[in-house]
Amino acid sequence: MKNKIYIKDVFDFLQSLQGYSIDLAIIDPPYSLKKAQWDSFKNENEFLKFTFKWLDLMLIKLKKNANFISLILLIIVA
């Protein structure tokens, strides 16, 4: 699994990895903008439960010197 990009369900994928095995994680998570089905949650609590669930799984898979990048939504209004 060296030097590969994976596009999979985050929960299934993270659970399949050994602990402390990730060097770099670049994540583009849902933002709950409700612009698409994959980015829609019933309410803010459901969104936060989802977010903390994948974050908790991710943290135990990162190596101690790993890098973690989460792409964020940035809106600039002039």
Side-chain angles (χ1 to χ4, degrees):
M1 292 184 19
K2 285 189 170 189
N3 302 319
K4 290 188 178 182
I5 295 172
Y6 297 89
I7 301 173
K8 298 185 174 201
D9 175 82
V10 68
F11 300 111
D12 293 340
F13 181 66
L14 287 173
Q15 290 173 353
S16 73
L17 297 176
Q18 294 181 10
Y20 307 108
S21 61
I22 298 174
D23 291 304
L24 171 65
I26 301 172
I27 308 294
D28 185 15
Y31 304 105
S32 194
L33 296 177
K34 298 173 179 47
K35 300 222 178 228
Q37 184 176 0
W38 59 266
D39 191 37
S40 297
F41 295 85
K42 293 179 195 174
N43 53 49
E44 185 176 336
N45 188 45
E46 290 297 314
F47 170 67
L48 291 174
K49 282 173 47 179
F50 169 84
T51 300
F52 286 116
K53 183 177 177 183
W54 72 258
L55 276 172
D56 287 344
L57 281 171
M58 173 68 68
L59 292 175
I60 61 174
K61 303 299 181 166
L62 293 173
K63 290 182 178 177
K64 292 186 182 199
N65 61 345
N67 291 295
F68 171 54
I69 300 166
S70 182
L71 304 176
I72 60 169
L73 177 67
L74 177 63
I75 300 174
I76 299 174
V77 178

